Short mmCIF file of all heavy atoms in Angstrom, two decimals:
data_model
loop_
_atom_site.label_atom_id
_atom_site.label_comp_id
_atom_site.label_asym_id
_atom_site.label_seq_id
_atom_site.Cartn_x
_atom_site.Cartn_y
_atom_site.Cartn_z
N VAL A 129 99.62 122.70 116.72
CA VAL A 129 98.48 121.78 116.80
C VAL A 129 97.97 121.71 118.23
O VAL A 129 96.76 121.80 118.49
CB VAL A 129 98.86 120.38 116.26
CG1 VAL A 129 97.87 119.31 116.71
CG2 VAL A 129 98.97 120.41 114.74
N HIS A 130 98.88 121.58 119.18
CA HIS A 130 98.46 121.47 120.58
C HIS A 130 97.87 122.78 121.10
O HIS A 130 97.01 122.76 121.97
CB HIS A 130 99.62 120.98 121.44
CG HIS A 130 99.82 119.50 121.31
ND1 HIS A 130 100.42 118.93 120.20
CD2 HIS A 130 99.46 118.48 122.09
CE1 HIS A 130 100.43 117.62 120.33
NE2 HIS A 130 99.86 117.32 121.46
N LYS A 131 98.28 123.89 120.55
CA LYS A 131 97.76 125.18 120.98
C LYS A 131 96.42 125.50 120.32
O LYS A 131 95.52 126.04 120.96
CB LYS A 131 98.76 126.29 120.66
CG LYS A 131 98.29 127.66 121.08
CD LYS A 131 99.31 128.73 120.83
CE LYS A 131 98.76 130.07 121.30
NZ LYS A 131 99.67 131.17 121.00
N GLU A 132 96.26 125.19 119.04
CA GLU A 132 95.13 125.70 118.26
C GLU A 132 94.02 124.70 117.95
O GLU A 132 92.90 125.12 117.66
CB GLU A 132 95.64 126.31 116.94
CG GLU A 132 96.57 127.48 117.13
CD GLU A 132 95.94 128.69 117.81
OE1 GLU A 132 94.69 128.77 117.90
OE2 GLU A 132 96.69 129.57 118.27
N LEU A 133 94.31 123.42 117.96
CA LEU A 133 93.27 122.46 117.58
C LEU A 133 92.57 121.90 118.81
O LEU A 133 93.13 121.91 119.91
CB LEU A 133 93.85 121.34 116.74
CG LEU A 133 94.42 121.74 115.38
CD1 LEU A 133 94.75 120.51 114.56
CD2 LEU A 133 93.49 122.67 114.61
N PRO A 134 91.35 121.41 118.63
CA PRO A 134 90.62 120.85 119.77
C PRO A 134 91.40 119.69 120.40
O PRO A 134 92.18 119.01 119.74
CB PRO A 134 89.33 120.32 119.14
CG PRO A 134 89.17 121.06 117.86
CD PRO A 134 90.57 121.36 117.39
N GLU A 135 91.12 119.50 121.69
CA GLU A 135 91.73 118.36 122.37
C GLU A 135 91.20 117.08 121.77
O GLU A 135 90.11 117.05 121.23
CB GLU A 135 91.42 118.42 123.87
CG GLU A 135 92.14 119.54 124.58
CD GLU A 135 91.90 119.49 126.07
OE1 GLU A 135 91.55 118.41 126.61
OE2 GLU A 135 92.08 120.53 126.70
N GLY A 136 91.98 116.06 121.90
CA GLY A 136 91.60 114.75 121.40
C GLY A 136 92.82 114.07 120.83
O GLY A 136 93.38 114.53 119.84
N GLU A 137 93.22 113.00 121.49
CA GLU A 137 94.44 112.31 121.09
C GLU A 137 94.39 111.83 119.65
O GLU A 137 95.33 112.02 118.89
CB GLU A 137 94.72 111.15 122.04
CG GLU A 137 95.98 110.39 121.70
CD GLU A 137 96.18 109.16 122.57
OE1 GLU A 137 95.55 109.05 123.63
OE2 GLU A 137 96.99 108.31 122.16
N LEU A 138 93.29 111.21 119.26
CA LEU A 138 93.19 110.67 117.91
C LEU A 138 93.21 111.79 116.87
O LEU A 138 93.91 111.69 115.87
CB LEU A 138 91.92 109.82 117.75
CG LEU A 138 91.72 109.20 116.36
CD1 LEU A 138 92.88 108.26 116.01
CD2 LEU A 138 90.39 108.48 116.29
N LEU A 139 92.46 112.83 117.10
CA LEU A 139 92.43 113.97 116.17
C LEU A 139 93.83 114.53 115.97
O LEU A 139 94.31 114.67 114.84
CB LEU A 139 91.49 115.06 116.70
CG LEU A 139 91.52 116.37 115.91
CD1 LEU A 139 90.93 116.18 114.53
CD2 LEU A 139 90.80 117.45 116.68
N ARG A 140 94.49 114.85 117.04
CA ARG A 140 95.83 115.45 116.94
C ARG A 140 96.82 114.48 116.32
O ARG A 140 97.67 114.88 115.53
CB ARG A 140 96.29 115.92 118.31
CG ARG A 140 95.50 117.12 118.79
CD ARG A 140 95.91 117.56 120.16
NE ARG A 140 95.19 118.77 120.55
CZ ARG A 140 95.37 119.38 121.70
NH1 ARG A 140 96.24 118.90 122.60
NH2 ARG A 140 94.70 120.47 121.99
N ARG A 141 96.72 113.21 116.66
CA ARG A 141 97.63 112.22 116.08
C ARG A 141 97.44 112.12 114.57
O ARG A 141 98.41 112.11 113.81
CB ARG A 141 97.45 110.85 116.74
CG ARG A 141 98.46 109.82 116.22
CD ARG A 141 98.45 108.51 116.98
NE ARG A 141 97.18 107.82 116.89
CZ ARG A 141 96.40 107.52 117.94
NH1 ARG A 141 96.77 107.85 119.16
NH2 ARG A 141 95.26 106.88 117.76
N ARG A 142 96.19 112.07 114.11
CA ARG A 142 95.95 111.97 112.67
C ARG A 142 96.44 113.21 111.93
O ARG A 142 97.03 113.10 110.85
CB ARG A 142 94.46 111.75 112.37
CG ARG A 142 93.96 110.39 112.75
CD ARG A 142 94.65 109.28 111.94
NE ARG A 142 94.13 107.99 112.33
CZ ARG A 142 94.79 107.10 113.06
NH1 ARG A 142 96.02 107.35 113.47
NH2 ARG A 142 94.23 105.96 113.38
N VAL A 143 96.23 114.38 112.49
CA VAL A 143 96.70 115.62 111.86
C VAL A 143 98.23 115.61 111.78
O VAL A 143 98.80 115.91 110.72
CB VAL A 143 96.18 116.85 112.63
CG1 VAL A 143 96.88 118.12 112.20
CG2 VAL A 143 94.67 116.98 112.45
N LEU A 144 98.89 115.24 112.84
CA LEU A 144 100.36 115.23 112.83
C LEU A 144 100.90 114.12 111.93
O LEU A 144 101.96 114.28 111.32
CB LEU A 144 100.92 115.12 114.25
CG LEU A 144 100.74 116.40 115.06
CD1 LEU A 144 101.12 116.16 116.52
CD2 LEU A 144 101.54 117.56 114.46
#
Side-chain angles (χ1 to χ4, degrees):
V129 163
H130 282 76
K131 181 177 180 184
E132 298 297 345
L133 296 189
E135 290 185 22
E137 181 185 343
L138 180 61
L139 172 68
R140 290 178 176 181
R141 184 171 62 240
R142 289 297 180 253
V143 168
L144 288 171

